[in-house]
Amino acid sequence: MYELAGQAWNKKDADVRAPNLTKLINHTNRLSIWVSSCILREPKIQKRRKVMGNMILLCQYLLSLRNYHSVMGVLAGLASSPVSRLKFTKRELPTKLTKVIN
């Protein structure tokens, strides 16, 4: 609770004032980067579609576990600027999966 007081995670000494919150933020950022890089690593649309679909399924599974912080990390990766520009890949996704992220 004290880590949230006065936005301790935004201060210069955030590692001392809010070590747990800082670790949580860093974990979410790494998860987001991992999701987007896994999708962008694939050169072919069909493979990218499969990876993107798997990330959406991962998001659903994390939601069923009530792991909301990781859900937001995966969603941040899916909503990142480079991934959001993959319109052809998104068109290839089944509508069942696109409804999840929209």
Side-chain angles (χ1 to χ4, degrees), residues 31-33 35-37 39 72-84:
L31 180 60
S32 172
I33 291 167
V35 167
S36 60
S37 65
I39 294 169
M72 292 308 295
V74 173
L75 286 176
L78 289 169
S80 69
S81 184
V83 174
S84 66

Side-chain angles (χ1 to χ4, degrees), residues 2-63:
Y2 66 91
E3 294 186 24
L4 298 173
Q7 293 187 351
W9 70 92
N10 278 333
K11 308 297 184 208
K12 286 184 180 180
D13 58 344
D15 292 337
V16 175
R17 291 176 142 200
N20 298 312
L21 195 54
T22 304
K23 287 177 187 175
L24 193 61
I25 291 168
N26 289 335
H27 171 73
T28 304
N29 290 340
R30 284 191 308 271
L31 180 60
S32 172
I33 291 167
W34 175 75
V35 167
S36 60
S37 65
C38 283
I39 294 169
L40 296 170
R41 186 179 302 142
E42 297 299 335
K44 301 206 182 244
I45 290 177
Q46 292 303 319
K47 287 186 177 183
R48 270 198 316 261
R49 177 194 58 82
K50 185 151 179 78
V51 173
M52 191 180 287
N54 286 338
M55 293 301 175
I56 295 169
L57 293 174
L58 173 64
C59 199
Q60 286 181 314
Y61 180 71
L62 291 168
L63 193 58

Side-chain angles (χ1 to χ4, degrees), residues 77-95:
L78 289 169
S80 69
S81 184
V83 174
S84 66
R85 288 184 291 220
L86 298 173
K87 298 195 188 314
F88 295 116
T89 305
K90 286 182 182 177
R91 257 188 240 146
E92 295 291 321
L93 285 172
T95 54

